[in-house]
Amino acid sequence: MNDNIERQRRKDEHIYFAVSQHNTKLQSQFDELELINDAIPMVNLADVDLAGEVAGLAFETPLYINAMTGGSPHTEKLNGQLAEVAAATGLMMAVGSMHSAIRDPKLASSYSIVRKNHPEGVLFANISADLSPIQAQQAIDILAADALQIHVNVAQELVMKEGSRDFDHWLENIAAIKEHVNVPVIVKEVGFGLARKTIMRLRDINVDIIDLAGKGGTDFARIENARRRDGKWDYFNDWGQTTAQSLIAIQSPNYVNMPYFASGGVRHPLDAIKCLALGAEAVGIAGVILAYLKEHDVEATIEWVEEWKLQMKMIAVMVNARNLSKLRKVPIVAYGRLKEWGELRGVKMEQLAQRLM
Ligand SMILES: Cc1cc2nc3c(=O)[nH]c(=O)nc-3n(C[C@H](O)[C@H](O)[C@H](O)COP(=O)(O)O)c2cc1C
């Protein structure tokens, strides 16, 4: 089968399985994190301002629609709709992997529609760690992107029958891309989490931002397992570290600072606020907004995002935080397996629980 037709079919199957496997009622490790209520906050709702800036990317709301799609007429429509939602609500937005447009320029419109519908938006192009620096810049140019996401997805590739088996050139290639391109580079997982040792390597090659993209939401091991139908990896679903674990691990004093986004399994505004309280510059949502849009329409999804934005500000009031820097000082208590994980990874869990505002 032609390479691009195969890729288009894979993209459509990813959407099908991501939506059919989506379940926000699942227990989440975010539930093992608790913020401390403040009964007499020193802030009014109208004064809460969650605007921020990182690596020259400025945003009013610390939320972005994470990488999902593009590369076919069906996904062009979806990208167009997601971009309408992002434009109406002021969210940042990433497109899905842009390989198909690099190989076949006729498919570029399925990505550039996002810039067309969100002309002033902060937009992220998306490629794998396999593309050349020149191809990376092509992807950026198609979208007139403000930043480039490079996804790293070893577990997905290995479970995927037709996936890649060679990875030892990735770090060097990411470094070459970072040197060549004219926008900030974000390295992201696709739902298995980024560990401290990986983050250190990325920091050493001057990557601008990492996106932890942990386990807890869309599960690409489960999706690829469903696609291959032979059951060989049935035991494997659930691989990786949750977003909560990844966020806790990087609170370690050994961690050398670099800006991070958090995404993966963010179900509602409270999960998003917990990510921000643990230092994320912004929070990404993929499966949850895709599932909502698929069941509703653009207008309803705009209202849904507006409600998220409002509730995030309301929760900020409940913990007496008028902005992102105050939120990062809110005491946050971890329980159960998450606490055990943090302690084993050398994080001073009491310090997080006893932070002073
Ligand atoms: C249908 C679908 C397609 C995706 N395609 C890509 C992709 O092309 N590139 C990428 O970096 N991540 C891709 N992702 C991963 C998301 O960006 C995100 O990291 C992951 O879904 C975890 O977030 P969630 O739990 O909010 O869905 C995709 C996710 C979904 C649901």
Side-chain angles (χ1 to χ4, degrees), residues 219-230:
D219 179 350
F220 269 96
R222 194 179 294 270
I223 289 175
E224 295 303 343
N225 212 5
R227 284 185 62 236
R228 59 183 293 150
R229 295 193 173 95
D230 60 8

Side-chain angles (χ1 to χ4, degrees), residues 255-285:
Y255 174 69
V256 182
N257 221 7
M258 78 180 283
Y260 50 95
F261 290 162
S263 70
V266 174
R267 299 162 299 172
H268 45 54
L270 179 57
D271 287 348
I273 288 289
K274 288 176 181 176
C275 294
L276 297 172
L278 284 168
E281 304 284 344
V283 179
I285 50 174

Side-chain angles (χ1 to χ4, degrees), residues 11 14-15 18 66-69 96-97 126 149 151 188-191 213-214 217-218 220 263-266 284-288 290:
K11 277 280 160 202
H14 283 166
I15 289 169
N66 218 346
M68 282 187 276
T69 203
S97 179
N126 184 288
Q149 286 184 332
H151 62 260
K188 76 182 282 288
E189 242 292 352
V190 300
T218 306
F220 269 96
S263 70
V266 174
I285 50 174
V288 71
L290 177 67

